[in-house]
Amino acid sequence: MKLLVMGPPGAGKGSQSQKLIADYELTHISTGEMFRRSYERGEEIGKKAMAYINEGNLVDDDITNEIVRKRLLKPDAARCFLLDGYPRTVTQAEALDDMLKEMSSSLTAVINIVVDKDIILERMVGRRVCKSCGHTYHKTFKPPKVEGVCDQCGGTLYQRVDDQLESVRNRLKIYETKTKPIIDYYKGRGLLININGMQSFEAVYKDIQKALRGLR
Ligand code: ADP
Ligand code: ADP
Ligand code: ZN
């Protein structure tokens, strides 16, 4: 299965992806996570990307397409993958189409998680992320067993710089203008599955599973 998970920042893409990759045995490709890891490793590309990210802006299309292309060519992405947070612009969607064509591959479905703006803000400012493994928590909606400590790996939880209110507002604006048009792009190809993200984690996941039934 080759899936794409879309939605505004804070929709629950990462949270739902964590379950999907385990249950459907998919290779998780999150461009946001790849940029953060690259930055932590002290790489030039990570440093360049983080300058955009901390301001709440999108990373340059060429940089982003290049890291995705490299990742898709690795053997573990040949059969099954889940792209989380990519593409985010029409240019990226077109680049992805070209990459998949080159690989004689195609998408199975595009999951679009739909969430209202007020809920997004609440989710984003309460988000906490593990420094070591990237697992995501929420101060109120999904607290870790021990405050500030990752349940999965014991790592330290932190608040992303781009999850401060100012940056979140900017990201939402960018989502509306640059990312939303992709929804029509995939709708036109008959790939789009809309999922109501304004439910519990479990209910959202159940709806996704239902929508994926019969697909392979
Ligand atoms: P969220 O889960 O809140 O939507 P991500 O972790 O997916 O955030 O991404 C964090 C940031 O990384 C984005 O706000 C953006 O600056 C950058 N980024 C991630 N994916 C892309 C992409 N496909 N194109 C451009 N920038 C990206
Ligand atoms: P995205 O990857 O789309 O930016 P995340 O999966 O990181 O979104 O979720 C954003 C924040 O909202 C996280 O703190 C997460 O724990 C929380 N969250 C995600 N889905 C739900 C949900 N269905 N109900 C309540 N909180 C949620
Ligand atoms: Zn962890």
Side-chain angles (χ1 to χ4, degrees):
M1 188 143 36
K2 288 165 178 150
L3 294 181
L4 211 149
V5 177
M6 288 192 51
K13 301 182 294 293
S15 303
Q16 298 300 328
S17 297
Q18 279 163 0
K19 288 189 191 172
L20 285 165
I21 54 160
D23 289 349
Y24 294 81
E25 296 180 5
L26 309 171
T27 295
H28 191 193
I29 305 178
S30 158
T31 37
E33 202 47 36
M34 281 163 79
F35 288 137
R36 286 189 288 277
R37 295 262 167 256
S38 170
Y39 174 77
E40 276 155 23
R41 287 195 296 266
E43 295 168 4
E44 214 40 57
I45 194 166
K47 282 186 211 161
K48 240 190 230 169
M50 205 47 79
Y52 293 96
I53 292 173
N54 287 343
E55 296 292 319
N57 292 319
L58 290 181
V59 178
D60 180 79
D61 279 337
D62 289 339
I63 297 178
T64 309
N65 290 334
E66 195 45 37
I67 66 153
V68 172
R69 179 186 299 277
K70 279 197 187 132
R71 187 66 191 84
L72 281 177
L73 285 170
K74 287 194 180 161
D76 64 345
R79 221 169 43 85
C80 306
F81 61 75
L82 183 157
L83 272 168
D84 164 6
Y86 178 92
R88 268 175 147 103
T89 64
V90 172
T91 309
Q92 291 180 12
E94 288 165 354
L96 175 63
D97 267 353
D98 290 342
M99 289 178 216
L100 293 174
K101 238 179 249 158
E102 268 172 46
M103 296 163 201
S104 305
S105 180
S106 58
L107 293 173
T108 311
V110 175
I111 295 166
N112 180 38
I113 305 178
V114 182
V115 176
D116 287 345
K117 214 177 247 171
D118 48 339
I119 295 184
I120 290 174
L121 289 176
E122 205 181 4
R123 286 190 184 175
M124 303 281 279
V125 293
R127 171 157 61 186
R128 299 292 180 270
V129 183
C130 174
K131 253 200 170 105
S132 310
C133 75
H135 203 88
T136 300
Y137 298 84
H138 191 282
K139 254 175 64 177
T140 347
F141 305 141
K142 198 189 174 213
K145 291 195 185 86
V146 179
E147 204 189 317
V149 181
C150 178
D151 292 347
Q152 308 287 320
C153 77
T156 307
L157 305 186
Y158 78 109
Q159 181 176 30
R160 283 165 42 179
V161 176
D162 60 334
D163 278 350
Q164 323 269 348
L165 199 58
E166 212 34 54
S167 177
V168 170
R169 288 221 172 93
N170 192 28
R171 289 161 72 192
L172 283 174
K173 246 187 258 158
I174 291 173
Y175 171 79
E176 291 292 329
T177 55
K178 300 220 166 126
T179 308
K180 237 183 172 175
I182 309 182
I183 293 174
D184 283 336
Y185 183 89
Y186 288 117
K187 201 195 249 169
R189 283 167 173 66
L191 288 170
L192 194 76
I193 298 171
N194 283 318
I195 297 287
N196 174 13
M198 295 169 280
Q199 317 178 71
S200 69
F201 287 93
E202 294 74 22
V204 175
Y205 192 63
K206 273 205 185 118
D207 282 358
I208 296 175
Q209 281 182 309
K210 224 187 277 168
L212 291 178
R213 224 167 268 160
L215 297 178
R216 56 198 335 261

